[in-house]
Amino acid sequence: MALRELGSLERFLGLKKPNKYSTQGGKKVPVLQNNNGPALIGLVTIASHLVREAKRPELLGDSAEQRAVVQQWLEHRVTRLDNYAKEEVKVILKELNQYLEDKVYLAGNVFTLADILMYYGIHHIVVELAIQEKERYLNVTRWFDHIQHYPGVRHHLPPVVVLRNRVYPSGHH
Amino acid sequence: MKLYIADGNPHCIKVLAALDLTGVKCDIETVSHEEKVVPHLSHPVLPVLLLPGGQHLFSPNSICQYLFDVSGQAATDATNQWLEWEATHLQPAVLQSLHMVALQGKRAEAAAVMKEPLNWLEQNLSKKNTPFLIAEAVSVADVVLWAALYPLISDSGFDAGELRTVHGWFDRVGDLAACQTAAHKVLHGKGVEALKTFLQKHPVTHHRDSPTNNTEAEDAEHVMTVEEIEEAAQVWSAGLKGSPASTERKHPILPQEGKRNVLLTSALPYVNNVPHLGNIIGCVLSADVFARYGRLRGWNLLFVCGTDEYGTATENKAREEGLTPQEICDKYHAIHAAIYQWFQIDFDFFGRTTTERQTEIAQDIFWRLHERDFLLEDTVEQLRCESCQRFLADRFVEGECPHCRYPEARGDQCDKCGRLINAVELRNPQCKVCKQTPVIRSSKHLFLNLPKLEDELEQWLNKSTSAGDWTGNAKHITRSWLRDGLKPRCITRDLQWGTPVPHEDFKEKVFYVWFDAPIGYLSITANYTDQWEKWWKNPQQVELYNFMAKDNVPFHSVVFPCSLLGAQDNYTLVNHLIATEYLNYEDTKFSKSRGVGVFGDMAKDTGIPSDVWRFYLLYLRPEGQDSAFSWSDMALKNNSELLNNLGNFINRAGMFVSKFFDGHVPEMLLNEDDKRLIAQVCWELKQYIQLLDKVRIRDALKCILNISRHGNQYIQVNEPWKKIKGGDGDRQRAGTVTGVSVNVACLLSAVLEPYMPTVSHTIREQLQAPPTCAGAMLQAAGTFICTLPAGHRIGTVSPLFQKLENEQIEALRKRFGGQQPEEESVKAKTPSSSSAAVETKPSAGAAQDASLNVNADPERAKQLTALVTEQGIKVRGLKTQKAEKSIIDEEVKKLLELKKQLSLAEGKNPEPAAQKGKKK
């Protein structure tokens, strides 16, 4: 999973040569073998590395503050989204929904790596949501829809239909 | 910038150390563990750094990284990698072992948990050969890892093992003044002891797929006090004593002095249609849950309902099916009754409105209104067909549109130009039945003088809505009616199928169905018992609940109360008006004509048990807002909530008793864990009762699911299946856990009774539970008691629910998805089919729907409507002429394309139509 994600990220970043990855341990942590240095381990670490390699540092944030916020959501992705008990899904969605209430992207007004990795990581949850749940977490679905339509992001994941027109039944009697 | 920390919170060590080390200026505020600093997080999280820009950082590692970043040490691949490893690998292990050390005193086990991450650290450090993790100088990675390990490694009793390089590095970092100060500030030199409070409040999150120790569901953030827990445990242990014997229902049920007397009605379903799921959840099912609940609570309760049978629609249907109206009513009354029986709607009496009692009571109310001068006369111009000998309702006339000259305009609206028409304006009008030309006749009608009753109504409404439980939408709709001012409302109709108006001047007329229908509540009760007036003319003793969907509100809150107030006969008026919103079907609405949706009589054919239908509909109950039925969601809820949560718990509890204890409930010696569970369950039970008392049916269902969720976690953590194989102490534990669990299962059977009566009954049978247990636990505010004491023998336990497979659900979705809309509408346009009602022409309703949508283009829609109609006529013509198939197909294709465009212009989703087009 993480490997396909990194593949999609490489394509998004326009990196010419695809890297070779392996995984490590029971949790299948991705490993990037580097010719001129030690191997890099961990999704966030490798993704941040790729972004710098592609000379797109703005995707990691333009200021120290923004970098910290991006970092925080990347960590959130690998700690919370990759490792939760079933009953926590609602809490995760509720909190994210509230966070996104006044934001376009996770780091505020600019698109960053946090959006990409959070989108990849939350896709399997959003896919499973019932219509009414999608409506309940409206800010999440709005953000999700936005990111999945962001040029070049989606790649390996199927699109999710998140909004629908509501048709009200006319009165009966 | 401000940093929030808490005493004894291990995560604060690293941020304080990083702050000191980098020398960044920042205010520090110490708050309690409970303080919610970050607005969007539902649980308190600390430490938190409030950034100058107003954002909150709540990840300790990101805070540290930020502090290093602003002081000129940006993140590198190496620091990122250590921080990521710390967050994903080290931290979970550290928290788990801290729990073991501080709360359970299991130092050896704690060391085992830490072995793997510490070895990894040792390997990496020894490879590097630098004093710090990354280089010669200390970095953010050193601070973060050191602080994570500090409480454990500095604990004298914790044996980290032979890790020379790790110890060297650990001491080197720990020698930094910043680190020492930070550690002291958080732990006050008390070591792991200082973390106890924090650890108790932050249970360990196990890894994926294993239920967590104590993770509360979203809205259950209830924290128990010690007293609460003790009290719950005491009440529980006292067991089933002196509880009232369950009283048998004896008909006729009549109000009793000193009891809570509840009269409950569900809106009367109209007889000429098979009810769909939206109708069922809107009235009868919701009312049934509340009725069952009320009976369990020991209220003296009467639940009546019946079919509403008079009116134009019935006459119409009778003509369609070639039966008399009475035959139609008999036929559909039986269909309704059968459907409700299948859904286990437990009416005390299910009657009908076409009875003599109805005539008597309606005429009595009419005369009383007449005598008290609350009726007005007025003349209305109407079309009358002399050959059929009757006045024509709007939908029984066709003619030329006075505006656009379209020859087939209906009595209320022209399908071509869409304008509303008054039937008497039609040129060359025709009776739809006999094709003769009707004549204009003026007809005298009676009106209920609502303006004259308005003041009295308003006074009563103020009292009723403030003292009773009216749903928000009911109050809102009523208020908007009053705000617009009331107008006289016609109560008579020129029809035959109705309650005759007894007045000399109005012979040949019947009461308008909405004057008549609510009187059905009274007459149905009168058919149930001669002493019906003890319910209906007794507001002092009786509380009246009306259940309905929101479109029925004005008739129950304004029109009918005015009739009763004007009649001045001490009638019982509604105290609690419970209205639901609408239930949609998948992403569209239920439509009989398009075959979309599940109708009452089909639910049975799905093979899904009635209880599961009830559960899902109630889970979805449009309480407060519209909701949508979805097949995949139904499968999901069945599989996750019923099968994996509820069914799993009850089955496990029963199986343990059967397998490990020979079918006898074991001896129970409660420890703190057990008492806590009992208190949690008891709290959920009290919530359940509070919610159901307020008729919040859907919300109360969540409490039931929470109870079994608590139960599952309890079993998972205590592992009775392992303990049973252990020594005496362990076996004792297994017994207690099993005994408590099976008692929780018994409580579940009680709270499930209103929702899933069959399942509830099955559970009680399997557990051989005493018949009084449900009533006893649902008294007053609700008490969870040990109703299955040690030694009690249970019956045979078997699974309660079945998985709904994907293929099964897909097949059902296809079957009920309305796959034939196009064919049907094309068919309807052929002359062989006489029924005009199935034509899918845009009606006023469709135009309204479109106006809800931003993409809609009403102008274009109007043009397209005309084109669709024209093309429809063309196709119809070709078909009658038996034209060549290829030509017809060509024209049908054009028709479909137009319809698709029309859907788009109306802002609807054209998808189904488009797919259909391709398939052809």
Side-chain angles (χ1 to χ4, degrees):
Chain A
M1 179 60 211
L3 298 192
R4 296 179 65 190
E5 222 177 305
L6 287 168
S8 295
L9 180 64
E10 283 179 354
R11 275 192 279 169
F12 170 76
L13 292 169
L15 292 174
K16 292 274 150 37
K17 275 193 313 208
N19 286 299
K20 281 234 171 71
Y21 300 101
S22 54
T23 61
Q24 176 182 300
K27 290 185 187 170
K28 298 233 186 290
V29 178
V31 179
L32 171 60
Q33 284 303 336
N34 218 333
N35 294 334
N36 35 12
L40 286 178
I41 307 167
L43 180 66
V44 170
T45 306
I46 298 173
S48 308
H49 170 79
L50 293 177
V51 166
R52 270 193 293 260
E53 200 182 12
K55 307 224 161 19
R56 298 283 301 279
E58 77 279 4
L59 288 174
L60 294 173
D62 273 336
S63 62
E65 264 189 54
Q66 222 176 59
R67 280 193 289 276
V69 173
V70 171
Q71 183 62 37
Q72 168 159 296
W73 284 108
L74 294 176
E75 184 191 304
H76 186 82
R77 153 66 207 270
V78 287
T79 51
R80 291 287 277 159
L81 288 191
D82 290 356
N83 187 21
Y84 57 85
K86 243 185 195 160
E87 54 272 27
E88 286 177 307
V89 175
K90 279 187 177 169
V91 182
I92 290 173
L93 287 169
K94 187 180 159 194
E95 292 182 347
L96 186 59
N97 193 53
Q98 215 156 1
Y99 177 78
L100 284 168
E101 194 159 70
D102 56 355
K103 291 174 190 69
V104 181
Y105 300 103
L106 288 168
N109 292 322
V110 289
F111 176 80
T112 63
L113 181 63
D115 295 300
I116 303 178
L117 288 202
M118 280 290 286
Y119 160 71
Y120 290 153
I122 209 168
H123 187 277
H124 71 282
I125 297 179
V126 176
V127 149
E128 291 292 318
L129 290 184
I131 293 149
Q132 46 270 75
E133 288 171 307
K134 286 180 190 159
E135 283 176 3
R136 182 150 166 218
Y137 307 112
L138 201 63
N139 301 319
V140 174
T141 44
R142 188 231 330 127
W143 164 82
F144 183 89
D145 201 30
H146 197 45
I147 305 304
Q148 72 174 347
H149 288 106
Y150 199 94
V153 171
R154 197 168 50 78
H155 285 303
H156 68 285
L157 294 169
V160 179
V161 179
V162 298
L163 295 174
R164 67 191 177 94
N165 297 331
R166 307 190 75 189
V167 182
Y168 295 86
S170 50
H172 292 282
H173 185 80
Chain B
M1 200 158 70
K2 192 166 183 179
L3 179 67
Y4 296 88
I5 57 164
D7 269 342
N9 176 324
H11 305 308
C12 292
I13 302 177
K14 60 175 81 159
V15 297
L16 286 170
L19 189 65
D20 200 349
L21 211 58
T22 55
V24 175
K25 284 220 153 34
C26 176
D27 293 333
I28 300 178
E29 186 177 333
T30 307
V31 297
S32 84
H33 290 285
E34 305 295 332
E35 189 99 0
K36 269 184 69 178
V37 182
V38 188
H40 82 269
L41 296 179
S42 31
H43 296 277
V45 170
L46 288 166
V48 171
L49 182 67
L50 176 60
L51 293 170
Q55 284 248 52
H56 291 93
L57 288 183
F58 51 87
S59 141
N61 290 4
S62 301
I63 297 177
C64 294
Q65 177 60 59
Y66 171 75
L67 294 170
F68 275 82
D69 196 357
V70 289
S71 60
Q73 299 181 53
T76 64
D77 283 346
T79 57
N80 276 346
Q81 184 167 321
W82 279 118
L83 261 53
E84 185 174 0
W85 178 77
E86 196 270 352
T88 54
H89 287 77
L90 182 60
Q91 202 53 248
V94 163
L95 284 176
Q96 203 186 342
S97 19
L98 280 175
H99 263 265
M100 292 169 162
V101 172
L103 302 180
Q104 298 159 327
K106 298 182 188 161
R107 288 189 158 75
E109 287 92 331
V113 171
M114 288 304 293
K115 202 164 174 211
E116 198 194 310
L118 284 175
N119 279 339
W120 171 257
L121 187 58
E122 174 77 16
Q123 265 177 38
N124 275 272
L125 276 167
S126 50
K127 259 195 298 197
K128 276 294 278 196
N129 236 342
T130 49
F132 294 102
L133 281 171
I134 292 162
E136 297 298 321
V138 72
S139 74
V140 64
D142 296 295
V143 175
V144 165
L145 264 71
W146 170 84
L149 291 169
Y150 179 81
L152 278 177
I153 296 192
S154 66
D155 182 75
S156 53
F158 181 84
D159 180 16
E162 271 300 299
L163 303 162
R164 261 203 269 130
T165 346
V166 169
H167 282 297
W169 161 83
F170 181 79
D171 293 340
R172 216 166 294 133
V173 183
D175 280 342
L176 298 167
C179 291
Q180 285 178 5
T181 334
H184 189 80
K185 192 154 183 195
V186 174
L187 302 176
H188 302 290
K190 287 189 278 187
V192 184
E193 279 295 300
L195 303 176
K196 262 192 163 166
T197 323
F198 170 87
L199 291 169
Q200 275 161 352
K201 295 209 155 88
H202 295 82
V204 179
T205 321
H206 289 278
H207 295 299
R208 197 201 296 252
D209 293 336
S210 68
T212 54
N213 199 356
N214 201 12
T215 329
E216 306 263 350
E218 172 182 33
D219 27 23
E221 281 161 32
H222 182 69
V223 182
M224 300 280 162
T225 65
V226 182
E227 296 76 38
E228 218 174 320
I229 293 173
E230 267 314 313
E231 199 199 324
Q234 268 175 22
V235 172
W236 186 80
S237 303
L240 201 55
K241 278 183 210 146
S243 307
S246 64
T247 41
E248 278 286 300
R249 242 192 293 176
K250 254 203 268 140
H251 294 294
I253 300 162
L254 295 171
Q256 290 171 28
E257 190 67 48
K259 280 236 176 186
R260 183 167 178 197
N261 297 301
V262 173
L263 175 56
L264 207 149
T265 70
S266 148
L268 306 181
Y270 200 70
V271 81
N272 77 325
N273 254 329
V274 178
H276 59 62
L277 296 182
N279 303 138
I280 289 168
I281 183 66
C283 19
V284 290
L285 181 53
S286 295
D288 180 60
V289 171
F290 194 68
R292 287 172 180 271
Y293 170 73
R295 290 180 196 126
L296 275 178
R297 295 273 277 157
W299 303 342
N300 183 42
L301 179 144
L302 180 70
F303 176 23
V304 292
C305 186
T307 40
D308 171 12
E309 307 193 340
Y310 285 131
T312 329
T314 307
E315 281 189 357
N316 195 14
K317 189 84 178 178
R319 198 164 297 115
E320 243 173 58
E321 299 196 11
L323 298 170
T324 66
Q326 186 61 59
E327 283 166 341
I328 277 289
C329 292
D330 293 348
K331 174 180 163 189
Y332 279 91
H333 176 80
I335 291 176
H336 275 263
I339 289 170
Y340 302 141
Q341 195 182 13
W342 188 79
F343 274 96
Q344 307 172 73
I345 311 296
D346 189 9
F347 302 114
D348 289 303
F349 188 70
F350 185 69
R352 45 203 303 190
T353 54
T354 51
T355 65
E356 271 170 48
R357 292 299 217 162
Q358 174 76 8
T359 311
E360 257 168 57
I361 298 170
Q363 293 186 348
D364 173 58
I365 291 176
F366 163 81
W367 280 122
R368 297 184 72 95
L369 287 169
H370 188 75
E371 284 155 17
R372 286 162 184 76
D373 205 17
F374 286 119
L375 297 180
L376 301 169
E377 274 182 27
D378 201 1
T379 311
V380 179
E381 284 201 328
Q382 268 181 299
L383 291 174
R384 181 178 163 87
C385 176
E386 296 292 358
S387 77
C388 294
Q389 286 286 302
R390 59 193 197 109
F391 284 92
L392 299 178
D394 291 344
R395 46 186 348 189
F396 286 109
V397 206
E398 259 183 15
E400 193 183 301
C401 171
H403 310 286
C404 74
R405 311 224 155 202
Y406 176 63
E408 287 171 51
R410 291 194 317 244
D412 49 354
Q413 195 183 21
C414 170
D415 284 335
K416 189 158 183 202
C417 69
R419 270 176 272 220
L420 295 177
I421 301 170
N422 194 342
V424 292
E425 298 166 357
L426 280 177
R427 294 165 190 233
N428 308 321
Q430 264 192 353
C431 167
K432 268 186 88 168
V433 179
C434 68
K435 305 288 172 204
Q436 296 297 307
T437 306
V439 293
I440 296 180
R441 280 286 177 78
S442 58
S443 171
K444 226 168 32 166
H445 280 284
L446 282 167
F447 290 73
L448 181 60
N449 193 347
L450 293 179
K452 197 173 171 183
L453 286 156
E454 193 165 345
D455 282 346
E456 202 181 335
L457 178 79
E458 217 158 337
Q459 271 178 21
W460 163 77
L461 271 174
N462 284 338
K463 248 194 355 223
S464 180
T465 52
S466 56
D469 291 319
W470 287 50
T471 51
N473 54 359
K475 286 191 218 177
H476 179 80
I477 293 168
T478 306
R479 230 178 284 131
S480 68
W481 264 56
L482 287 176
R483 195 181 44 231
D484 299 343
L486 298 178
K487 289 162 206 69
R489 201 172 170 89
C490 190
I491 63 164
T492 51
R493 274 287 187 270
D494 286 298
L495 282 179
Q496 279 130 30
W497 188 239
T499 303
V501 180
H503 197 286
E504 259 306 288
D505 305 350
F506 299 90
K507 281 192 294 196
E508 312 273 298
K509 293 188 202 296
V510 299
F511 288 121
Y512 178 30
V513 67
W514 261 113
F515 173 76
D516 192 54
I519 293 173
Y521 294 137
L522 282 60
S523 75
I524 287 168
T525 315
N527 278 303
Y528 166 71
T529 167
D530 287 341
Q531 303 174 68
W532 65 277
E533 286 167 319
K534 287 194 177 161
W535 284 109
W536 283 101
K537 296 185 182 177
N538 190 359
Q540 301 82 356
Q541 275 194 323
V542 173
E543 258 181 87
L544 174 58
Y545 282 84
N546 289 162
F547 281 77
M548 68 202 70
K550 68 177 172 191
D551 50 343
N552 273 337
V553 167
F555 301 102
H556 288 81
S557 67
V558 176
V559 182
F560 187 48
C562 278
S563 303
L564 295 182
L565 286 169
Q568 297 176 352
D569 204 8
N570 193 31
Y571 281 107
T572 307
L573 299 174
V574 59
N575 301 89
H576 313 275
L577 203 157
I578 316 296
T580 53
E581 302 285 320
Y582 295 134
L583 178 71
N584 295 332
Y585 179 76
E586 296 274 338
D587 46 5
T588 172
K589 58 180 169 182
F590 286 88
S591 164
K592 184 83 191 164
S593 59
R594 286 185 295 129
V596 173
V598 184
F599 292 80
D601 51 345
M602 307 172 184
K604 181 163 47 173
D605 305 335
T606 59
I608 298 170
S610 157
D611 267 21
V612 174
W613 275 109
R614 287 176 62 112
F615 166 80
Y616 184 59
L617 290 174
L618 291 161
Y619 191 94
L620 277 187
R621 183 171 187 261
E623 209 164 283
Q625 58 177 342
D626 288 4
S627 61
F629 176 91
S630 131
W631 285 106
S632 53
D633 188 46
M634 181 175 190
L636 186 74
K637 294 290 147 41
N638 177 74
N639 298 344
S640 64
E641 293 292 6
L642 290 184
L643 193 69
N644 290 343
N645 177 11
L646 194 65
N648 183 37
F649 170 70
I650 294 170
N651 192 246
R652 277 166 107 188
M655 284 311 285
F656 290 155
V657 177
S658 308
K659 247 167 71 185
F660 303 148
F661 301 96
D662 197 25
H664 292 280
V665 175
E667 210 54 61
M668 291 161 269
L669 289 173
L670 304 184
N671 72 11
E672 285 311 306
D673 280 354
D674 309 320
K675 289 179 184 171
R676 174 174 290 272
L677 173 84
I678 290 168
Q680 265 167 341
V681 168
C682 189
W683 188 79
E684 293 289 351
L685 170 64
K686 287 183 187 332
Q687 286 291 304
Y688 166 91
I689 287 180
Q690 277 176 23
L691 288 167
L692 270 186
D693 274 351
K694 296 275 172 209
V695 211
R696 284 172 57 192
I697 294 172
R698 191 190 56 188
D699 293 343
L701 181 54
K702 305 278 156 76
C703 296
I704 302 179
L705 299 173
N706 283 342
I707 292 177
S708 69
R709 210 163 280 136
H710 285 310
N712 271 322
Q713 283 165 13
Y714 172 74
I715 291 187
Q716 199 60 29
V717 168
N718 287 292
E719 305 181 319
W721 65 93
K722 278 191 194 160
K723 298 235 165 72
I724 192 71
K725 296 178 190 135
D728 281 354
D730 274 356
R731 288 183 58 84
Q732 173 73 258
R733 229 10 242 146
T736 305
V737 172
T738 302
V740 171
S741 299
V742 79
N743 270 288
V744 173
C746 186
L747 171 70
L748 281 170
S749 84
V751 289
L752 273 174
E753 147 79 32
Y755 294 85
M756 307 176 80
T758 307
V759 167
S760 160
H761 189 244
T762 309
I763 299 170
R764 263 183 304 220
E765 219 170 51
Q766 292 186 0
L767 300 181
Q768 297 279 305
T772 52
C773 69
M777 290 193 274
L778 291 182
Q779 290 314 304
T783 39
F784 175 32
I785 34 189
C786 176
T787 49
L788 307 176
H792 171 88
R793 180 163 185 92
I794 68 164
T796 315
V797 176
S798 58
L800 297 165
F801 302 106
Q802 276 190 338
K803 191 169 180 198
L804 285 177
E805 300 292 348
N806 256 341
E807 304 80 62
Q808 190 186 351
I809 248 6
E810 271 312 309
L812 289 170
R813 189 213 305 281
K814 286 219 179 72
R815 188 160 140 212
F816 296 107
Q819 294 289 300
Q820 326 74 14
E822 288 309 326
E823 269 131 358
E824 211 175 82
S825 64
V826 172
K827 228 193 293 159
K829 286 184 162 75
T830 63
S832 61
S833 162
S834 62
S835 161
V838 259
E839 287 202 2
T840 51
K841 284 177 185 169
S843 62
Q848 225 172 32
D849 287 343
S851 70
L852 290 169
N853 195 289
V854 273
N855 299 321
D857 179 353
E859 268 310 305
R860 175 93 182 119
K862 217 185 263 177
Q863 291 169 4
L864 282 165
T865 305
L867 289 172
V868 166
T869 315
E870 248 168 59
Q871 186 67 18
I873 294 168
K874 194 166 171 189
V875 169
R876 202 186 317 180
L878 285 170
K879 285 192 175 173
T880 6
Q881 293 157 23
K882 301 221 172 356
E884 252 185 73
K885 190 172 178 294
S886 61
I887 300 175
I888 297 181
D889 283 353
E890 185 73 337
E891 295 303 322
V892 168
K893 216 167 119 193
K894 277 187 203 162
L895 176 64
L896 293 178
E897 180 52 33
L898 284 169
K899 287 199 167 184
K900 189 173 141 193
Q901 288 179 23
L902 175 60
S903 301
L904 278 172
E906 286 178 336
K908 290 184 199 152
N909 184 359
E911 231 43 70
Q915 274 169 5
K916 204 63 217 168
K918 268 182 230 143
K919 211 165 133 191
K920 283 212 147 186

